[in-house]
Amino acid sequence: EKTMRVILAVLLLFLIFVAPGSTTLTCEVRQAGCQTGYTTLFKLSNTTDAHVELRNESLYNVTVCCRETYGVNASLGAGCAGPYNRTILNISGSTNAHASLNNETAYNIALCINSTMNITFGYETSCAGYDTCIASISGNTNAHVGNCTDYSTLLCVQTRNMTINLTEGDGTTIATRGYQTQNLTITFYD
């Protein structure tokens, strides 16, 4: 009974120190500027079948906005700087532009999302398993962009942060049964 209490106490402490950070990333395509707390990633000529422009251009008023909420201090931004950034689209110019997937080489202006936490990005037909959908794109290159219901290729993104702090007990025995050692195995899946 004492051995079981020790094992349960160690498991509880382990879960407290290993639990993943609470992460949420949400994005939306809006008719006018982003709400407070959201970051403008880029702008569109319309909510559907649209041309693209950089976020600092002023021709279009439809904005693609994202917000990141963590249980720890983090920040989300637009641009390709920083340790955690992903190119989500390449565009043909700074405004009135066509778009391409990030692995296409026809256009040389990269639209990126960045964070102080790890970012996973992908082109999918469903954003299940991701935090959110940023927008959708009509093709691989020479493409238009729209909201997440416009085209079948979705720009999906998630942020994940997990911190493991080992405080003590690395390699030590946590309980014994007679002369037999009890092993505690913890497995993480990504």
Side-chain angles (χ1 to χ4, degrees), residues 16 22 49 62 84 114 117 145 178 182:
I16 289 170
S22 171
D49 196 31
V62 175
Y84 300 108
N114 67 63
M117 298 295 174
V145 175
Q182 300 293 317

Side-chain angles (χ1 to χ4, degrees), residues 96-109:
N96 196 30
H98 282 112
S100 71
L101 303 182
N102 61 15
N103 60 350
E104 297 289 336
T105 59
Y107 307 137
N108 60 2
I109 298 175

Side-chain angles (χ1 to χ4, degrees), residues 4-17 168-169 174-175 184 186:
M4 184 57 98
R5 278 189 263 148
V6 169
I7 290 172
L8 290 174
V10 169
L11 274 173
L12 180 61
L13 284 172
F14 186 80
L15 290 174
I16 289 170
F17 288 107
E168 60 182 86
I174 59 169
L184 173 64
I186 299 173

Side-chain angles (χ1 to χ4, degrees), residues 23-181:
T23 61
T24 304
L25 180 65
T26 56
C27 296
E28 58 187 21
V29 177
R30 293 181 48 88
Q31 284 289 350
C34 295
Q35 298 177 49
T36 302
Y38 281 76
T39 299
T40 301
L41 296 184
F42 54 92
K43 294 180 182 177
L44 299 173
S45 62
N46 200 340
T47 58
T48 63
D49 196 31
H51 284 186
V52 182
E53 75 178 4
L54 297 174
R55 69 188 196 137
N56 59 347
E57 296 291 337
S58 59
L59 186 61
Y60 305 143
N61 66 351
V62 175
T63 54
V64 178
C65 310
C66 292
R67 180 181 67 167
E68 188 173 54
T69 306
Y70 278 98
V72 295
N73 187 21
S75 64
L76 179 73
C80 300
Y84 300 108
N85 71 77
R86 296 291 178 262
T87 301
I88 55 178
L89 291 173
N90 292 323
I91 59 175
S92 61
S94 62
T95 189
N96 196 30
H98 282 112
S100 71
L101 303 182
N102 61 15
N103 60 350
E104 297 289 336
T105 59
Y107 307 137
N108 60 2
I109 298 175
L111 292 179
C112 298
I113 185 171
N114 67 63
S115 175
T116 54
M117 298 295 174
N118 191 34
I119 295 176
T120 301
F121 173 79
Y123 298 112
E124 306 289 344
T125 56
S126 165
C127 287
Y130 289 86
D131 289 341
T132 192
C133 174
I134 297 172
S136 64
I137 186 168
S138 66
N140 291 359
T141 191
N142 196 33
H144 287 183
V145 175
N147 62 48
C148 291
T149 60
D150 208 15
Y151 303 112
S152 61
T153 302
L154 306 176
L155 287 64
C156 302
V157 67
Q158 72 180 12
T159 54
R160 295 286 185 251
N161 180 44
M162 175 181 270
T163 303
I164 299 175
N165 295 320
L166 234 111
T167 56
E168 60 182 86
D170 187 18
T172 62
T173 302
I174 59 169
T176 60
R177 179 180 287 164
Y179 293 105
Q180 196 174 24
T181 301

